[in-house]
Amino acid sequence: MVDTANRPSDADLVGAVEHDIREDAFPIKGWDHVRYYVGNARQAAHYYSTAFGMTLFAYRGPEQGFREHAEFALKSGGVVFVLAGGVTGDAEATRHYAAHGDGVIEVALEVPDVDANYKHAIKQGAIAIEEPHDLTDEHGTVRRAVIGTYGETRNVLIDRSNYDGPFLPGFVAAEPMVAPPKKRFFQAIDHVVGNVELGKMREWVRYYERVMGFTNIVEFVDDAIATEYSALMSKVVANGSRKIKFPINEPAEGKKKSQIDEYLEFYGGPGVQHIALATSDILAAVDAMRERGVEFLEAPDAYYEDPELRERIGEVRVPIEELQARRVLVDRDEDGYMLQIFTKPQQDRPTMFYEIIERHGSLSFGKGNFKALFEALEKEQAKRGNL
């Protein structure tokens, strides 16, 4: 029997801890949105509406006087994706798509004081892209600034406390493309993972520690995340509340090409590898998404039949047979346990994918699942001829 009474609350979804952001030199309220550059924003918006159960709620494009891009804003609970496609051949999104395929260009963070955060970041050596400035329309004003991070990825700082429009200035309210699901599949961002070149991981970890005051909370730099053929190294930086978590991966020496190497080759450099989406019911989410055509990586039966795994994880709310039927992974640490599963890449290039995660006290990232996960990834790489 599935235990529905012990699903995590929204407050527990992202593994946050009690913390007063007023103590931080770089305070962050939470995730604001993730902006993508894609080859066809209208079609991508339809896909995320249909397959991921997200709801279109705002739009901005040539009809509103924004001549270069068509931008569709979708949401699921607190998760907001903005899908931007180039309307002209020389638009920034058009050029970015030609080089990288569909990918994340901005990870936006809501902050209480854009100017103070930006000033601190620049003083600490942040990459300056846009100084603080106002975006205004009839609904009010949003304050915004932008700093750089790995590759062409940007961290946007946003204060929307003086704005009551549908999303951002220039956006108009939009009707859903398809009927929203009766229950959303996920409702929060847990973490955003970046892939960087060999030898660059520590450099970007130090960047976030210096610029945003983040802490290196977890690191995997040994054979714990290696298979017979490939390996990677990873460190996780997070803010004080642990709401904002940025794992950063780099390839390690292996017999064959690692998943990180494949990503860097096909994306054309460093960038966001995957976004973890937090849910309170992973079984329902996976069932619904599979029914809508989303493909997930499949762990082997041997993973679920391993007596050491069963002993280590103990009792969880979902019988192991239910997890096995859906290929959902499970891991436990000193704080609790977590359930997770990963999609296959969601675009033509074997680059970005998603994780669906359900936390029950655990603050970890599924270290005990790495071997099974990477072997599943390697099977997909082999099919593509990239292992």
Side-chain angles (χ1 to χ4, degrees):
M1 178 180 292
V2 177
D3 179 5
T4 58
N6 290 315
R7 291 183 185 139
S9 67
D10 283 1
D12 299 328
L13 280 174
V14 296
V17 299
E18 289 188 14
H19 177 74
D20 186 347
I21 65 171
R22 291 175 297 182
E23 300 173 359
D24 298 336
F26 193 99
I28 302 173
K29 292 182 178 180
W31 307 100
D32 192 88
H33 68 273
V34 177
R35 187 167 182 251
Y36 299 71
Y37 279 158
V38 299
N40 188 318
R42 185 176 298 275
Q43 289 184 4
H46 199 289
Y47 177 78
Y48 280 98
S49 297
T50 305
F52 278 56
M54 301 187 77
T55 302
L56 176 66
F57 70 98
Y59 169 80
R60 182 173 72 181
E63 301 88 341
Q64 288 73 44
F66 292 83
R67 306 299 300 174
E68 290 193 341
H69 298 109
E71 300 178 74
F72 297 79
L74 300 95
K75 63 183 176 181
S76 177
V79 180
V80 177
F81 290 168
V82 182
L83 304 166
V87 176
T88 62
D90 60 351
E92 185 176 310
T94 305
R95 296 194 302 270
H96 190 274
Y97 174 76
H100 305 288
D102 291 353
V104 170
I105 186 65
E106 293 178 350
V107 178
L109 307 171
E110 186 178 7
V111 302
D113 187 334
V114 169
D115 295 74
N117 280 44
Y118 184 82
K119 181 179 179 181
H120 172 82
I122 298 304
K123 185 178 180 181
Q124 296 301 318
I127 302 166
I129 294 182
E130 292 180 20
E131 294 185 351
H133 59 284
D134 289 339
L135 303 174
T136 301
D137 66 9
E138 67 273 19
H139 299 290
T141 297
V142 170
R143 190 74 169 162
R144 167 188 163 105
V146 184
I147 60 177
T149 181
Y150 45 78
E152 296 182 41
T153 316
R154 309 162 185 163
N155 285 142
V156 178
L157 313 179
I158 284 185
D159 176 8
R160 55 174 63 253
S161 59
N162 295 314
Y163 191 74
D164 62 3
F167 178 52
L168 291 172
F171 279 83
V172 296
E175 292 297 317
M177 286 184 160
V178 299
K182 292 181 180 179
K183 179 183 177 183
R184 61 197 178 203
F185 305 159
F186 48 83
Q187 56 255 55
I189 292 177
D190 187 276
H191 56 273
V192 176
V193 182
N195 283 350
V196 300
E197 311 95 322
L198 179 63
K200 293 292 186 179
M201 176 187 65
R202 288 178 175 82
E203 176 181 318
W204 288 109
V205 166
R206 289 193 294 267
Y207 180 84
Y208 277 104
E209 289 174 336
R210 185 177 70 252
V211 168
M212 294 189 180
F214 281 22
T215 303
N216 180 195
I217 61 171
V218 181
E219 58 182 56
F220 309 104
V221 293
D222 54 28
D223 59 4
I225 49 177
T227 67
E228 179 183 356
Y229 297 120
S230 64
L232 64 83
M233 295 184 288
S234 182
K235 292 192 175 189
V236 183
V237 292
N239 74 329
S241 70
R242 302 296 188 263
K243 286 183 180 179
I244 310 301
K245 298 182 283 289
F246 290 135
I248 301 173
N249 305 329
E250 71 172 25
E253 294 294 332
K255 291 181 181 179
K256 297 188 179 182
K257 184 185 298 182
S258 75
Q259 53 168 300
I260 311 302
D261 290 316
E262 183 188 43
Y263 175 97
L264 294 170
E265 177 182 338
F266 282 87
Y267 195 70
V272 171
Q273 180 214 47
H274 79 264
I275 297 175
L277 302 169
T279 180
S280 59
D281 190 344
I282 198 168
L283 299 190
V286 170
D287 287 346
M289 293 174 74
R290 271 210 178 99
E291 185 177 341
R292 293 165 179 242
V294 178
E295 294 183 306
F296 293 88
L297 294 175
E298 296 198 353
D301 287 327
Y303 168 85
Y304 302 93
E305 296 163 1
D306 182 359
E308 290 186 11
L309 170 77
R310 292 181 177 240
E311 182 178 355
R312 178 170 56 82
I313 65 171
E315 184 177 346
V316 299
R317 81 165 185 89
V318 181
I320 196 75
E321 293 76 17
E322 295 280 356
L323 300 178
Q324 184 173 3
R326 297 167 176 83
R327 305 296 159 172
V328 171
L329 305 171
V330 57
D331 197 30
R332 181 180 289 277
D333 60 21
E334 62 273 14
D335 298 304
Y337 70 93
M338 56 173 287
L339 308 172
Q340 63 183 163
I341 192 170
F342 298 82
T343 73
K344 294 182 180 180
Q346 295 298 292
Q347 55 287 311
D348 294 332
R349 301 193 192 195
T351 50
M352 189 178 170
F353 56 91
Y354 292 88
E355 174 184 352
I356 309 299
I357 183 169
E358 178 183 320
R359 292 189 183 274
H360 291 268
S362 172
L363 302 177
S364 73
F365 296 83
K367 178 180 179 179
N369 296 328
F370 285 167
K371 190 173 190 300
L373 169 62
F374 292 171
E375 288 176 348
L377 283 165
E378 286 170 359
K379 286 181 181 178
E380 296 301 314
Q381 281 182 254
K383 291 178 184 177
R384 295 188 288 265
N386 296 330
L387 183 60

